[in-house]
Amino acid sequence: MSEKKKRIGIMGGTFDPIHIGHLILGETAYHQFHLDNVLFMPAGNPPHKQDRENRATDSQRVEMVRLAIASNPHFTLSMEEMHREGYSYTYRTLERLKKRYPDTEYYFILGADSLYTFDEWKEPARILGACTILVGTRNHTSDEKLDRVIEQLEEKYHGKIEKLESLNIDISSKMIRSWIEKGRSLAYYVPDQVIEYIQKNNIYKDCDEDEV
């Protein structure tokens, strides 16, 4: 009898900063798809986010993720992309992990906004060849539109995309940064330990709220 494959979720992103939307998506994926663990994987050098002046440093982003997930036994910090040469491409990361752990099934977690631009990602077919994509929704996203995009992408790239049954929390790191710049409270939107770390290290104070 063959041994059961491990099921690992991957929550990637710049996490600049990490917020409850990330954590809720990761927790939803863990329970809904019976995952063994969820890797929170800060991007080291994402090709689509090169202008990060007045943002958190790499080490600060990593530390904020560590603080945010410390109390959850099935969340793990992964440094897989942090010290790679060149750009951090998702397909390379997934193929590297699949080669290293061939008996593991990977589930890549992302929001609906990211799925709508999936055609613009580097090697989308290779991404879907190496994992199942789990997609969350947001308040401004219609089920009909999301279902249509999922169907089109699955047909085009011969992959599997599943919807997450998560709460529709309309929150982004960009919004959090703008609140910090304006001096607005982050209570309940960002874990307390991360709020304390941001304040202690004076991160994002000079961040332009209109930056992406």
Side-chain angles (χ1 to χ4, degrees), residues 55-71:
R55 305 285 178 83
T57 64
D58 286 354
S59 61
Q60 287 173 333
R61 291 189 296 114
V62 168
E63 182 62 13
M64 287 188 284
V65 172
R66 189 190 69 78
L67 289 168
I69 68 174
S71 63

Side-chain angles (χ1 to χ4, degrees), residues 127-199:
I127 293 173
L128 277 167
C131 74
T132 297
I133 285 181
L134 306 182
V135 58
T137 60
R138 282 185 168 173
N139 285 339
H140 59 260
T141 301
S142 71
D143 281 339
E144 294 80 8
K145 179 182 179 183
L146 185 59
D147 289 342
R148 186 171 65 252
V149 170
I150 288 173
E151 184 179 353
Q152 290 169 349
L153 290 173
E154 285 184 331
E155 184 175 341
K156 183 175 182 179
Y157 298 116
H158 309 291
K160 188 66 176 173
I161 302 172
E162 301 273 10
K163 284 197 296 188
L164 287 169
E165 298 165 359
S166 59
L167 293 173
N168 294 333
I169 298 180
D170 220 357
I171 179 174
S172 67
S173 295
K174 176 184 176 182
M175 182 183 81
I176 295 298
R177 293 194 300 268
S178 75
W179 286 5
I180 295 169
E181 203 270 337
K182 294 173 182 174
R184 177 172 169 174
S185 170
L186 306 182
Y188 310 117
Y189 285 85
V190 176
D192 289 345
Q193 303 94 316
V194 177
I195 295 174
E196 291 171 12
Y197 183 83
I198 289 170
Q199 292 172 341

Side-chain angles (χ1 to χ4, degrees), residues 80-106:
E80 184 68 31
E81 289 194 342
M82 281 305 300
H83 304 299
R84 292 280 162 185
E85 294 295 325
Y87 290 144
S88 302
Y89 288 116
T90 300
Y91 81 94
R92 288 178 180 165
T93 300
L94 287 166
E95 290 180 349
R96 191 166 58 242
L97 289 171
K98 288 289 287 184
K99 185 175 181 180
R100 193 183 308 158
Y101 306 108
D103 292 328
T104 298
E105 294 178 351
Y106 287 98

Side-chain angles (χ1 to χ4, degrees), residues 4-41:
K4 181 183 176 184
K5 285 194 172 186
K6 288 192 72 173
R7 299 163 67 90
I8 301 296
I10 296 177
M11 175 69 73
T14 50
F15 299 118
D16 197 14
I18 191 169
H19 53 69
I20 61 162
H22 298 126
L23 302 173
I24 289 172
L25 271 185
E27 186 72 1
T28 301
Y30 173 80
H31 288 288
Q32 185 179 338
F33 289 90
H34 311 288
L35 304 181
D36 295 293
N37 197 11
V38 178
L39 304 179
F40 278 71
M41 190 180 290

